Amino acid sequence: MGVTGADVVLVGQFSAKEKNFVALMDAAAAELTARGARVVGRITQRRGVSDGGVRKMNLPYSSRTLLSSGKALEVAALCEETDADLVVFVTSLTDRQQNVLTGIFDRPATSLTEIIDVG
């Protein structure tokens, strides 16, 4: 999937144990920019940061969306606000997740690895 000229919302989902999540998001944004995309927004979902989140760490994340429902709505709103062409996840997505997220965001959702593998 080509991203040249696309306005992109970048989404990262990280465990609270991942201390370098900002650097990972920056590296992903740099990779997209190097491929001709314009990153128009960033959203990060962190699991296990709050007391409630720590208690939920052993529960599975949503296998349908990879995000909490509130965070998915936040991404959708940012897509509308920025008129983004594409949503790119730092983490890999299954085909089912791509389809569900594309429907929620009303624009294609893909993973960074898919962009890199094609490019």
Side-chain angles (χ1 to χ4, degrees):
M1 172 180 285
V3 295
T4 302
D7 288 340
V8 173
V9 169
L10 181 62
V11 179
Q13 192 262 5
F14 304 100
S15 162
K17 294 178 183 177
E18 178 57 69
K19 302 300 181 198
N20 295 322
F21 72 95
V22 173
L24 294 171
M25 290 290 284
D26 289 345
E31 182 71 39
L32 290 167
T33 300
R35 293 173 182 275
R38 187 169 73 111
V39 178
V40 295
R42 296 182 187 198
I43 291 188
T44 302
Q45 169 95 50
R46 303 224 28 234
R47 296 191 71 217
V49 177
S50 67
D51 287 340
V54 169
R55 286 191 298 274
K56 293 179 181 178
M57 278 301 289
N58 291 332
L59 299 174
Y61 61 86
S62 170
S63 61
R64 287 184 58 233
T65 65
L66 196 64
L67 302 170
S68 67
S69 59
K71 194 59 74 171
L73 292 174
E74 188 179 328
V75 173
L78 183 58
C79 287
E80 283 297 315
E81 178 184 317
T82 61
D83 197 27
D85 300 308
L86 179 67
V87 179
V88 177
F89 280 73
V90 174
T91 52
S92 295
L93 298 173
T94 66
D95 290 340
R96 181 170 187 249
Q97 288 167 338
Q98 284 182 327
N99 291 334
V100 169
L101 291 165
T102 294
I104 291 171
F105 303 148
D106 198 28
R107 58 210 13 96
T110 191
S111 64
L112 184 61
T113 55
E114 200 165 295
I115 291 168
I116 292 170
D117 289 346
V118 170

